[in-house]
Amino acid sequence: MNLKKTLLAVVTTYTIFQLTPLQAASAPAFTPEQEAQIGKIAADYLVAHPEVLVQVSQKLQQQQQARQQQAMILSVMENQDALLRDADTPVTGPDNAKVAVIEFSDYQCIYCSRLAPVMEQVMKASPDVRYIFKEWPIFASRWENSEKAAQRGIDVWKQKGAAAYVVYHNSVYQTGHNEGQLTAEDIDAAAKKAGVTGKLAADYTPQLEKNNQLAQTLGLTGTPGLIVMPVNNATPKNITVFPGAATAEQIQAAISKASN
């Protein structure tokens, strides 16, 4: 009976997708006897047409992703100052940029590592965009160098500015060391390449905690997380959130959407 009920739900869902809103709203309830009969019919039908399950699954996944995207975009709208105008966040790009790309990342994240050369490509292709880097060491509880690298990144930016930070940021990822492989020597070498040596000038834990809170508020569940939006006059229609990696083409398309 549980199987029949499940099949009934699937077929009913599939049927509703094909109906107009008016038809769906006026669909009558089934009696227990009708449900049992439909369950039997559904089982036979799905054996002959298993593609129906795939179609329903895809439709539900698309709806879920659309709802998730909309919820995150609304959160972006509510947190624009924290995203765009945080004085403690590394940023590069012209002051009069019309579009911003905000990246939440962890130096130990393998997907962030794969995204790094993509971001380099985008930055070269769109130098008129503001790029904002939110250090978010979500793997710090597992690998201490996750937080150490994030702390050093903010420190490089504070001491040497945007150009040095970009050198440091890319140099760490260029080691190819992630998923616990990043070493203190890797971090020091990247910092030295950016012109910074010695101890941290300050403890940046409060900034990292602020980034973590912001990421959770936005609904991000992991790294990387990308947000592309206008610097001014943002609306839900010109904001794009990538809760994961994206291609250069996808990011460029989001930049174009945000600039219109």
Side-chain angles (χ1 to χ4, degrees):
M1 183 59 69
N2 289 337
L3 175 59
K4 289 184 178 180
K5 288 183 178 180
T6 300
L7 295 174
L8 171 63
V10 170
V11 173
T12 302
T13 301
Y14 178 74
T15 303
I16 289 174
F17 285 147
Q18 313 308 315
L19 298 175
T20 64
L22 179 60
Q23 289 172 319
S26 61
F30 297 112
T31 66
E33 293 76 12
Q34 289 173 325
E35 288 183 0
Q37 183 63 23
I38 291 173
K40 183 178 183 303
I41 296 172
D44 294 338
Y45 182 84
L46 290 175
V47 169
H49 301 280
E51 69 277 5
V52 171
L53 287 172
V54 176
Q55 293 172 4
V56 172
S57 177
Q58 290 174 341
K59 184 70 174 181
L60 292 174
Q61 185 177 22
Q62 290 170 2
Q63 290 181 337
Q64 184 179 15
Q65 290 174 343
R67 287 193 296 269
Q68 180 188 35
Q69 178 77 192
Q70 189 62 25
M72 289 189 291
I73 285 174
L74 292 176
S75 292
V76 168
M77 289 290 295
E78 295 173 356
N79 293 276
Q80 293 185 57
D81 284 344
L83 286 165
L84 298 170
R85 302 173 185 89
D86 183 359
D88 294 319
T89 297
V91 57
T92 184
D95 292 337
N96 63 346
K98 295 182 179 180
V99 176
V101 176
I102 304 109
E103 177 185 359
F104 287 78
S105 62
D106 183 321
Y107 290 110
Q108 292 274 38
C109 168
I110 190 170
Y111 299 104
C112 297
S113 181
R114 294 172 182 172
L115 178 65
V118 173
M119 287 299 297
E120 286 190 70
Q121 179 182 342
V122 171
M123 291 174 72
K124 289 178 181 178
S126 300
D128 57 336
V129 169
R130 181 181 303 173
Y131 297 92
I132 300 171
F133 299 90
K134 297 287 187 180
E135 303 284 7
W136 189 26
I138 61 172
F139 294 112
S141 61
R142 188 184 307 176
W143 303 307
E144 63 178 359
N145 285 331
S146 174
E147 180 169 348
K148 287 183 178 180
Q151 291 256 4
R152 179 59 82 180
I154 298 174
D155 189 61
V156 167
W157 180 70
K158 289 281 190 179
Q159 292 196 50
K160 295 292 183 177
Y165 174 82
V166 173
V167 170
Y168 170 82
H169 180 88
N170 291 335
S171 295
V172 173
Y173 284 122
Q174 286 166 3
T175 65
H177 295 168
N178 48 64
E179 298 291 306
Q181 297 178 350
L182 188 67
T183 67
E185 290 73 21
D186 291 332
I187 297 169
D188 290 343
K192 185 176 181 180
K193 190 174 182 179
V196 175
T197 58
K199 296 181 179 181
L200 296 177
D203 178 8
Y204 303 103
T205 300
Q207 174 62 31
L208 298 180
E209 291 175 346
K210 184 165 56 174
N211 290 347
N212 179 58
Q213 182 60 50
L214 177 59
Q216 293 188 44
T217 299
L218 295 175
L220 297 176
T221 58
T223 53
L226 287 174
I227 298 163
V228 184
M229 64 185 295
V231 174
N232 298 297
N233 302 316
T235 70
K237 292 184 178 181
N238 55 27
I239 296 171
T240 304
V241 180
F242 297 102
T247 65
E249 291 76 17
Q250 288 174 322
I251 300 172
Q252 290 288 4
I255 290 173
S256 296
K257 183 174 76 171
S259 62
N260 293 330

